[in-house]
């Protein structure tokens, strides 16, 4: 498998976790991770534009070959589901604009890929991500850790499809 650079995205209502993971020799390596935060004082359109602009900057500076986003999971709060869906839409738009193929994964699949259990806690995901990437401590903040997990999940999916073809 050639050099792969994945940007993982964990959309949220006012926060968006991101991570860039690279694999050239089969071993994943974390390049960057963090959280994009939209100022609460701004209106919805301005917050979304802020996230969009910063996500576009990440795509331009890291040149990913793939993108992956976690699908929203919201049990009953319709407002939260709508806001997360809007943030996910930004990720779809930025990936399309950059010409980067994008995959999306439900939370259970991401957890299963990195921990072996689709019912893992966020803390277990955080610990597993640190182990997979050889980090000395669990990555923070939690949004960034989740984005790293999404990137690792996609890397695993790419490896599986390569083995099967």
């Amino acid at each position: 498998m050639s050099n792969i650079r994945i940007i993982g995205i964990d959309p949220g209502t006012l926060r968006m976790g991101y991570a860039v993971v690279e694999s050239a020799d089969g071993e994943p390596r974390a390049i960057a991770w963090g959280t994009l935060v939209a100022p609460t004082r701004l209106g919805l359109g301005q917050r979304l534009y802020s996230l969009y602009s910063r996500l576009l900057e990440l795509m331009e500076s890291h040149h990913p070959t793939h993108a992956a986003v976690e699908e929203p999971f919201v049990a009953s709060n319709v407002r939260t589901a709508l806001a997360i869906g809007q943030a996910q839409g930004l990720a779809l738009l930025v990936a399309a604009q950059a010409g980067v193929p994008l995959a999306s994964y439900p939370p259970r699949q991401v957890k299963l890929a990195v921990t072996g259990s689709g019912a893992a806690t966020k803390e277990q995901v955080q610990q597993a991500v640190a182990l997979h990437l050889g980090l000395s401590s669990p990555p923070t903040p939690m949004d960034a850790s989740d984005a790293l997990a999404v990137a690792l999940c996609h890397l695993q999916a790419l490896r599986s499809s390569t083995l099967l073809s």
Side-chain angles (χ1 to χ4, degrees):
M1 192 171 0
S2 63
N3 188 24
I4 296 171
R5 186 172 276 203
I6 301 168
I7 186 165
I9 302 165
D10 178 42
T13 54
L14 294 173
R15 303 168 60 90
M16 181 179 288
Y18 71 89
V20 180
V21 172
E22 186 174 68
S23 176
D25 56 2
E27 289 300 315
R29 184 171 65 102
I31 303 297
W33 66 87
T35 303
L36 306 176
V37 180
T40 56
R41 69 182 187 290
L42 300 177
L44 176 61
Q46 292 173 312
R47 287 194 311 262
L48 291 173
Y49 182 74
S50 172
L51 291 173
Y52 164 81
S53 298
R54 294 175 65 207
L55 190 54
L56 191 57
E57 287 172 11
L58 286 169
M59 294 289 260
E60 290 171 352
S61 64
H62 290 287
H63 307 288
T65 57
H66 295 81
V69 65
E70 187 172 58
E71 295 172 0
F73 171 79
V74 182
S76 61
N77 189 329
V78 175
R79 287 181 69 113
T80 300
L82 181 59
I84 292 173
Q86 291 166 333
Q88 184 185 27
L90 291 178
L92 297 169
L93 176 64
V94 169
Q97 187 174 353
V100 175
L102 182 127
S104 63
Y105 299 95
R108 288 186 66 81
Q109 187 174 350
V110 172
K111 291 175 183 181
L112 180 64
V114 296
T115 69
S117 169
T121 65
K122 284 194 169 279
E123 292 76 16
Q124 289 169 326
V125 169
Q126 203 174 26
Q127 292 289 336
V129 164
L131 287 173
H132 283 290
L133 294 170
L135 302 175
S136 59
S137 62
T140 57
M142 198 65 79
D143 298 312
S145 177
D146 289 348
L148 284 162
V150 171
L152 289 170
C153 176
H154 188 56
L155 182 59
Q156 185 181 84
L158 289 172
R159 286 179 179 157
S160 294
S161 68
T162 300
L163 291 173
L164 294 173
S165 61

